[in-house]
Amino acid sequence: MEVYLLKALQFILSLSILVIVHEFGHFIFARFFKVRVEKFYLFFNPWFSLFKFKPQNSETEYGVGWLPLGGYCKISGMIDESMDREQLAQPPQPYEFRSKPAGQRLLIMIAGVLFNFILALFIYSMVLFTWGDTFLPLKNMKMGLAYGDTFRNVGFEDGDLLLRADDKELDRLNVDAFRAVVSANVVTVRRHGSELGIVIPDDMMQRVMREKPFFAEVRYPMVAERCDGDHSPAALAGIQKGDTIISIDDVTTPTVYDVSEQLGAKKDREITVGIMRGGNLQTLTLHTDTAGKMGLYFQMPNQLYTTVVVKYGFFESFPAGIHLGISTLKGYVSDMKYVFTKEGASSLGGFGTIGNLFPPVWDWRLFWMTTAFLSIILAFMNILPIPALDGGHVMFLIYEVVARRKPSDKFLEYAQIAGLIILFGLLIYANGNDLFRLFFGK
C-alpha cells in the first residue's frame, strides 16, 4: 500500500507541474495579446472548488479543483470545454479571443504545447547538469543479457551481447536499443566470442505488444552485499560480503536469476549453497524461509561492472538536454503508429499505467526524468488535431487562415462536443484496460 501511495503522490505532483505550466502558456500569451482570462484552474471543478481566490482589481479567478484530470484556462470569447453559450450569444468584445486576429489566436492555442516541450528540455538539461549521464555500457556486461521469451523465440539466447541493429551500433540497454532491435532487419550479437546475425520478423513489435515480455536485462552473478540481520538464514550459515553464490544443491547458478529460480522451488527447506570466497570454493548449509529466501542483499550490476559517467557543465547541459528531448519525442512519435493496431490498442493504459512509470521509492532524478517524459507526451497528445484539444483549435485556425473564412460558432460548438465525447471514450477505454490488467493479469 505504501508503494502505491508513493507512486500516486509522485504522479499528482508531476501532473500538477505539467498542468500549471501548460495552462500558464495559454495564460501568458492571452494576456500578452490583451485577451481576458476569466479562470485559471489546477484540476477541474465541477460543482465546487477546493480553493479559489480572485485578487483585487484582477479579471482572473485562480483556483484548485477536486477532479485531478487536468486543468483549464477559461479565455473570454472562446468555445472550449466550459461550453459558455451565454457569453458567445453576446456581441464580440475587444478583449475576447474571438475578436483577435487568427495569428494571435493561433499563438495563444499552441502556447500550452510549446511551454510543455520547453519544460521537458529544461528538465532534461538540469538533470544532466545535476546528476550527469551514468550508464552501464553493453560492452562491459561480461555475462551478456537475459532475454524475454518473445526474443528467445526468434533466435536470441541468454548470454548474447547486443552489438548492432542493422548498421546502428548499440552502446547501452535502454528504450532506444529496444526500438532499434524490434525495427531492425538483422541484429548482430556476440555469442561465445563470435559474431552472429539474428533475423528479426517484420511483425516483431506486434509480437512484443501481444505477448508483453520483457526485452532484456543484464546477466550478473549473485555476489553478497550484506545479510538481512544477524538471524537471517544467510547470516546463520556464515555467508559474508563478497561471497559469490555459484550453486544450490549442486545445481550450477551462474546468475542471480538462476539462484532465484532454484530458491523458488526450495521454500522452507535445508539446502546446500556453493560459494566462491577469495578464489576458494566452499559449501555451506542453510534453511530457507517460507518464501524461499536466504535473507541476503546482493550487489547490483553497477557495482559489479564498470559504469560510465558523463558530466556536463551548466552551459553544456542545454544542448545535451535539447538533444535528449528531441530524441525522446521522435521515439514516442514513431511508436504512435502501433497504437492503430489490435495489439497497440490493447496496450493503451490510463492513470494506473502512467502512475507505474514512477519508481517505488522517492528518487528525485527518476521523478524529474519521468516528469520530462510525461511533459513531452502531454505536448504531443495536445497538438493532435482532435476537437477539444489544442490541436483541434489549431486545425480550425489553420483552416481559417487558408480559406479566409471562419467556421461558424455553431460548427465549432458541435465539434467541441464531438471532441469531448472522443476524449471521454478514450479515457474510459484506457482506464478500463488498466482495470482489466489489474483483475485478470493480462
Side-chain angles (χ1 to χ4, degrees), residues 139-367:
K139 64 182 180 181
N140 292 349
M141 300 176 186
K142 297 178 182 179
M143 299 183 71
L145 302 172
Y147 297 88
D149 290 340
T150 302
F151 293 89
R152 283 200 291 265
N153 289 341
V154 300
F156 290 92
E157 292 183 4
D158 288 351
D160 287 352
L161 187 64
L162 296 172
L163 298 177
R164 293 182 300 278
D166 291 332
D167 295 327
K168 180 181 179 181
E169 298 286 339
L170 302 175
D171 67 338
R172 64 179 81 183
L173 186 63
N174 58 11
V175 68
D176 292 330
F178 165 75
R179 289 193 184 104
V181 166
V182 297
S183 61
N185 293 314
V186 177
V187 173
T188 304
V189 300
R190 180 176 290 118
R191 181 182 298 173
H192 307 307
S194 301
E195 291 191 7
L196 175 71
I198 299 173
V199 177
I200 305 299
D202 293 337
D203 65 340
M204 190 64 185
M205 179 61 88
Q206 285 81 0
R207 296 189 189 191
V208 170
M209 290 189 295
R210 183 170 57 248
E211 298 167 16
K212 298 178 176 59
F214 70 89
F215 166 39
E217 51 195 3
V218 187
R219 295 178 82 237
Y220 58 104
M222 181 176 282
V223 178
E225 176 64 19
R226 61 183 175 86
C227 297
D228 186 18
D230 295 337
H231 299 288
S232 66
L236 293 174
I239 293 179
Q240 302 174 8
K241 180 176 180 178
D243 288 351
T244 302
I245 312 299
I246 61 171
S247 67
I248 302 290
D249 284 345
D250 295 326
V251 176
T252 302
T253 54
T255 72
V256 165
Y257 315 110
D258 297 313
V259 175
S260 298
E261 183 179 2
Q262 290 300 313
L263 290 177
K266 303 177 186 298
K267 300 176 181 179
D268 193 20
R269 286 174 53 181
E270 188 172 280
I271 62 172
T272 301
V273 180
I275 64 169
M276 189 66 69
R277 178 183 296 170
N280 298 315
L281 176 62
Q282 296 190 27
T283 302
L284 303 174
T285 301
L286 61 79
H287 198 108
T288 62
D289 62 21
T290 54
K293 304 293 183 182
M294 296 188 292
L296 181 68
Y297 292 94
F298 49 87
Q299 295 181 17
M300 295 291 103
N302 59 354
Q303 296 173 276
L304 298 170
Y305 302 138
T306 304
T307 58
V308 172
V309 181
V310 181
K311 291 291 187 181
Y312 294 91
F314 182 75
F315 294 106
E316 293 174 320
S317 67
F318 286 99
I322 291 171
H323 179 269
L324 178 56
I326 293 174
S327 175
T328 302
L329 176 61
K330 286 181 178 179
Y332 183 74
V333 172
S334 72
D335 291 343
M336 284 299 293
K337 61 179 177 286
Y338 299 110
V339 171
F340 302 101
T341 65
K342 177 183 177 182
E343 295 82 5
S346 66
S347 297
L348 287 176
F351 297 117
T353 298
I354 298 173
N356 279 327
L357 293 175
F358 292 93
V361 296
W362 197 283
D363 182 309
W364 278 112
R365 179 184 174 279
L366 293 178
F367 170 81

